[in-house]
Amino acid sequence: MEFLEAAQTLQENGWLSHTPVAFQDAVLSRATFHHYRAGEVILRCAQPGNAIVGLAQGCLACQLPPRVDASSLVHLFAPGSWTGELAFFCGGVRRVDTIAYTDSYCMRLSKTNLDKILKDDPGYWQWCNLLTALTFDVTLMTLDALTTFDATARIAKTLKRLAIISEKTSLAKTSQADIGAMAGLSRKGAHDALKRLEQMGVVRCGYGTVDILCLDALEQVIQGVKSKA
């Protein structure tokens, strides 16, 4: 992937696709293009928020600080997603690590360059606020899944969140253990829940892959479990 292709992907997907062309141009003209290898730390926890990163190709993972009792994986980012804005806008330190889940191509915008953009046009702050709102929405979806008692519904909500964010029903190559971690379940718990969803004809599981066969059916599973509560 080259710079122009990455820029086009970010203009057509996610946060920037909801902003004016002038703002898109201001951001992308000041961003730098990077290739990260799988497993490489892109934004490190407890470090100053001096940049945000937009994913053009591949998959990024959001992880809490390492724990000995459970996986720290929280969320997977699809192309079009941007991350790192909380510490970036607030001036604090990062609460999570962002790593390359797979080989990934990204745009990186430094705080210095964003400050220049906002100095030239303070009205652009509304589009920065939009990024924060989009992230907050993902956070609420994550909390909704994690506070759901039924394991099948919890997995269904986690899959729905990943599908909505990626705007795809074929998810990035993801292990059942990682899906379980994002749903707050053990590997066995995730496997059993995915098996139930597969038997219901809602998903198809392969080696390291999960395909959602019907988002409407996934929603019906979620609503069905809700109605039994």
Side-chain angles (χ1 to χ4, degrees):
M1 173 172 269
E2 301 295 336
F3 179 93
L4 290 178
E5 184 182 358
Q8 182 176 0
T9 297
L10 290 168
Q11 287 174 313
E12 295 175 351
N13 299 276
W15 170 49
L16 284 184
S17 69
H18 302 291
T19 68
V21 172
F23 180 74
Q24 295 176 11
D25 291 343
V27 169
L28 295 172
S29 66
R30 291 170 173 81
T32 53
F33 182 57
H34 298 267
H35 177 215
Y36 297 100
R37 299 292 183 185
E40 188 173 350
V41 178
I42 299 172
L43 300 174
R44 191 176 295 277
C45 179
Q47 295 297 311
N50 56 7
I52 54 174
V53 171
L55 175 64
Q57 181 175 295
C59 182
L60 304 184
C62 171
Q63 293 187 333
L64 294 168
R67 296 164 52 188
V68 297
D69 60 329
S71 170
S72 57
L73 180 63
V74 175
H75 184 62
L76 295 177
F77 295 99
S81 299
W82 289 76
T83 185
E85 76 284 349
L86 180 60
F88 187 78
F89 294 143
C90 296
V93 297
R94 300 191 186 97
R95 305 298 184 190
V96 296
D97 287 325
T98 299
I99 69 169
Y101 191 77
T102 64
D103 282 8
S104 300
Y105 291 88
C106 302
M107 293 291 197
R108 190 179 184 107
L109 179 68
S110 70
K111 190 173 189 309
T112 299
N113 280 330
L114 180 63
D115 286 344
K116 292 177 181 177
I117 293 171
L118 295 174
K119 182 178 180 180
D120 291 342
D121 191 338
Y124 282 157
W125 262 112
Q126 65 178 306
W127 307 117
C128 296
N129 293 337
L130 173 62
L131 176 57
T132 303
L134 292 171
T135 300
F136 184 60
D137 187 44
V138 173
T139 302
L140 289 178
M141 286 190 283
T142 303
L143 288 173
D144 180 39
L146 292 175
T147 54
T148 296
F149 179 76
D150 185 89
T152 304
R154 190 182 291 195
I155 287 292
K157 288 181 178 182
T158 300
L159 294 177
K160 179 185 174 184
R161 181 183 87 231
L162 296 174
I164 289 173
I165 299 305
S166 65
E167 298 181 351
K168 294 180 180 179
T169 54
S170 183
L171 306 181
K173 189 171 184 178
T174 311
S175 69
Q176 293 186 11
D178 281 349
I179 291 175
M182 287 184 283
L185 295 170
S186 66
R187 180 176 181 177
K188 183 180 184 306
H191 172 78
D192 291 346
L194 285 166
K195 196 68 176 177
R196 286 192 289 272
L197 290 172
E198 190 168 34
Q199 291 170 348
M200 295 164 68
V202 178
V203 304
R204 179 175 56 243
C205 300
Y207 180 72
T209 62
V210 176
D211 292 327
I212 300 170
L213 302 180
C214 180
L215 276 172
D216 288 341
L218 194 66
E219 181 62 29
Q220 287 174 9
V221 171
I222 295 168
Q223 297 298 330
V225 171
K226 277 185 177 179
S227 66
K228 296 175 185 177

